[in-house]
Amino acid sequence: MLFNELIITRQSDRKYIKKAVEKNKLIQCIEAARLAPSASNSQPWTFVIVSEIKLLKEVAQASVGPLRSFNNFVKQANVVVALVMEKPKIITELGGHIKKKEYPLIDIGIAAEHFCLQAAELGLGTCMVGWFDEQKVMDLLQIPESKNIPLLITLGYTPDNYKQRKKIRKPLKKIVRFNNYLTE
Ligand SMILES: Cc1cc2nc3c(=O)[nH]c(=O)nc-3n(C[C@H](O)[C@H](O)[C@H](O)COP(=O)(O)O)c2cc1C
């Protein structure tokens, strides 16, 4: 698939069928995330793969929003990956303090997109999930208190009739400035 086709194909998929995700495809997605760039090449991440049915149910339960329909789809996913944010290299941490930037969070976002694009190329559906009870998921997956989980990613096969949605995005004109922010 050409890159421009791939970025159209990747979308947030919120409906999954029961078909299991092949282990080699799952590993390919993790491999794509592993190759993502990161500030000072810190690679401040661990990918915790949730595939046990009981645990999946519990993680899904921890993702449902106050309006019960929000993130209710997570329970259909065959796999959920928790992206755990690790401490970066000292130099990155120091740089982050000086420049007031949370580099590891940026790194996690890039790795997440690598994962999702690879999944899309393999015919798998994903959705990044940022709304969930982080403490609950930390407890369920026995993640040390010193760490964070910025994101979960759901992974699975979507139904045959699941549609490719049109991308709703701001027009290019609205988000681009040449050379000067104030000049359109
Ligand atoms: C950081 C982040 C957090 C997100 N959290 C959720 C979420 O909790 N639940 C959900 O259904 N979608 C979530 N999404 C998906 C976005 O709603 C989606 O990417 C956006 O609407 C654009 O649609 P598309 O991914 O289909 O192109 C999240 C996306 C990102 C990047």
Side-chain angles (χ1 to χ4, degrees), residues 87-178:
K87 257 192 176 312
K89 289 178 181 168
I90 297 275
I91 184 84
T92 318
E93 209 170 4
L94 205 64
H97 280 301
I98 294 168
K99 291 295 173 194
K100 297 189 172 48
K101 287 185 203 301
E102 202 173 347
Y103 294 116
L105 197 55
I106 300 171
D107 300 336
I108 291 271
I110 298 169
E113 182 65 352
H114 270 216
F115 182 101
C116 294
L117 288 172
Q118 178 62 83
E121 200 205 24
L122 293 169
L124 287 158
T126 56
C127 187
M128 294 187 205
V129 174
W131 175 283
F132 58 93
D133 184 334
E134 188 173 349
Q135 189 57 55
K136 205 49 122 346
V137 178
M138 301 267 290
D139 294 344
L140 286 167
L141 307 184
Q142 300 195 322
I143 293 163
E145 285 295 325
S146 58
K147 305 187 190 294
N148 296 94
I149 313 174
L151 266 183
L152 303 175
I153 302 178
T154 57
L155 180 70
Y157 283 98
T158 56
D160 282 343
N161 61 356
Y162 194 68
K163 290 220 171 57
Q164 176 81 56
R165 292 187 306 273
K166 194 171 159 6
K167 295 259 182 279
I168 300 165
R169 298 293 191 262
K170 295 177 185 174
L172 205 64
K173 199 173 172 315
K174 206 167 175 195
I175 59 163
V176 180
R177 305 281 189 282
F178 287 96

Side-chain angles (χ1 to χ4, degrees), residues 59-112:
V59 169
Q61 196 53 46
S63 309
V64 177
L67 303 171
R68 307 284 305 162
S69 59
F70 188 62
N71 284 347
N72 203 20
F73 71 94
V74 175
K75 64 180 180 212
Q76 300 171 16
N78 194 252
V79 172
V80 172
V81 180
L83 280 73
V84 179
M85 189 158 81
E86 302 289 349
K87 257 192 176 312
K89 289 178 181 168
I90 297 275
I91 184 84
T92 318
E93 209 170 4
L94 205 64
H97 280 301
I98 294 168
K99 291 295 173 194
K100 297 189 172 48
K101 287 185 203 301
E102 202 173 347
Y103 294 116
L105 197 55
I106 300 171
D107 300 336
I108 291 271
I110 298 169

Side-chain angles (χ1 to χ4, degrees), residues 12-79:
S12 295
D13 294 312
R14 301 185 178 92
K15 206 167 183 24
Y16 300 99
I17 56 172
K18 286 209 178 334
K19 184 177 171 185
V21 171
E22 297 84 346
K23 184 139 186 238
N24 65 320
K25 291 192 180 173
L26 170 62
I27 297 300
Q28 254 182 282
C29 296
I30 299 287
E31 179 64 6
R34 188 178 76 87
L35 296 179
S38 58
S40 309
N41 203 16
S42 269
Q43 305 161 63
W45 45 56
T46 301
F47 304 92
V48 180
I49 297 164
V50 183
S51 57
E52 280 176 20
I53 290 176
K54 182 171 174 283
L55 202 53
L56 266 174
K57 270 198 185 135
E58 290 169 325
V59 169
Q61 196 53 46
S63 309
V64 177
L67 303 171
R68 307 284 305 162
S69 59
F70 188 62
N71 284 347
N72 203 20
F73 71 94
V74 175
K75 64 180 180 212
Q76 300 171 16
N78 194 252
V79 172

